[in-house]
Each structure stands twice: as C-alpha cells, then as structure tokens.
Amino acid sequence: MPSTQISAGGIVYRKEAGLLQIQLITDRYGKISFAKGKRENGETIEQTALREIHEETGIVGRVVEPIDIIAYTYHHPNLGDIQKEVHYYLVECEGGSLRPQTEEIRSVAWYEPEVAWERQCNAGYDNNDFILEKALKLLGIRL
C-alpha cells in the first residue's frame, strides 16, 4: 500500500486598479503552475497552502474557499509508490511583494484571467486545467 503525501497550494488573485489578476508561477521545469508544497507537521492543510504561497511568491493571502483536490501516484526511488494529494484553494492576495523563491521556482507574475487561462492551456500541466477553470468560475469569469 503506497504511503500518502499531502500538499496544498492555491490560485491567488487580486484586484489591481479594479481589474482582476491571477498569479501564475513558472516552475523549475519551465511549466506554468501554482504555488504549492508539502504539509509540515502540525499544520492544517489551509495553513500549508498559505505558507507555501508566501514562501514561493512573497504574497500574503487569505483562503476564500476550497477549489478541489488532485490525486495521483508517483514512484519515489527510495520510498516506493507515493499516493499524493494536492489540495487547492482560492486565495485572495492581502499583501506582500511579489518575488520568486528561486530555489523552488523560476518566476512568478500576475495575469489577466484570459491570459492566465491561455498560458495554463499552452504551457501548464494538464491536470491543473480544471483547477484554474474552477477558480475562474468561482471568481465569476466564464471561459
């Protein structure tokens, strides 16, 4: 039976000059994604999401609501099969300054929703498409 690893992250948004913007990261492999990471001992899953967003992007946010969970299995060379769950939340930006944690990601930036969707579809992970689509719908954006 594979062991389970819990990660969490979020689709971060803000309103800048009245316009909605979505945060996207470019991960270390050059793919579009969202800030996320492994849960640490004693953390709730929501706390993990907010900590990882802050560590990877410099942004302080607040969880608005859950989006969904991606679950998959991967093989670790030393530990064997790992069942991974990634919990995604819709997160509103409340402060901080945008800066990538270069040990983990290549870059982070804000995009208008339609541009974020296009970048995700063209350069993101397929299993993240429905996460961004659900987040945009929760924000009132219809694709």
Side-chain angles (χ1 to χ4, degrees):
M1 172 111 179
S3 62
T4 301
Q5 180 184 87
I6 305 292
S7 290
I11 307 297
V12 182
Y13 72 94
R14 71 177 183 178
K15 290 202 175 165
E16 185 73 15
L19 297 175
L20 181 66
Q21 295 181 322
I22 306 296
Q23 182 189 87
L24 296 177
I25 68 165
T26 303
D27 70 13
R28 67 182 97 179
Y29 307 107
K31 299 282 276 186
I32 295 299
S33 193
F34 319 113
K36 67 181 180 309
K38 295 177 194 168
R39 184 166 70 171
E40 294 180 354
N41 290 336
E43 281 184 324
T44 67
I45 297 174
E46 288 185 358
Q47 288 169 333
T48 299
L50 294 176
R51 177 184 51 77
E52 286 291 339
I53 289 164
H54 184 254
E55 286 177 0
E56 290 188 5
T57 73
I59 295 301
V60 175
R62 95 178 158 80
V63 169
V64 175
E65 63 185 291
I67 298 171
D68 212 326
I69 300 168
I70 294 175
Y72 57 93
T73 301
Y74 73 94
H75 186 78
H76 186 281
N78 299 325
L79 304 174
D81 287 342
I82 306 289
Q83 177 65 41
K84 182 158 184 157
E85 288 181 6
V86 184
H87 297 248
Y88 282 105
Y89 294 91
L90 186 61
V91 175
E92 182 178 16
C93 173
E94 292 194 324
S97 45
L98 204 60
R99 54 153 182 73
Q101 181 186 28
T102 54
E103 302 83 18
E104 296 284 328
I105 66 174
R106 289 185 185 178
S107 65
V108 59
W110 296 104
Y111 298 92
E112 293 179 15
E114 295 79 10
V115 175
W117 177 249
E118 182 179 311
R119 290 181 62 83
Q120 169 57 38
C121 289
N122 291 329
Y125 296 97
D126 291 342
N127 64 353
N128 279 344
D129 288 354
F130 85 100
I131 296 293
L132 182 55
E133 183 177 17
K134 279 185 159 186
L136 292 173
K137 284 182 181 174
L138 290 171
L139 292 166
I141 303 296
R142 302 288 177 232
L143 301 171

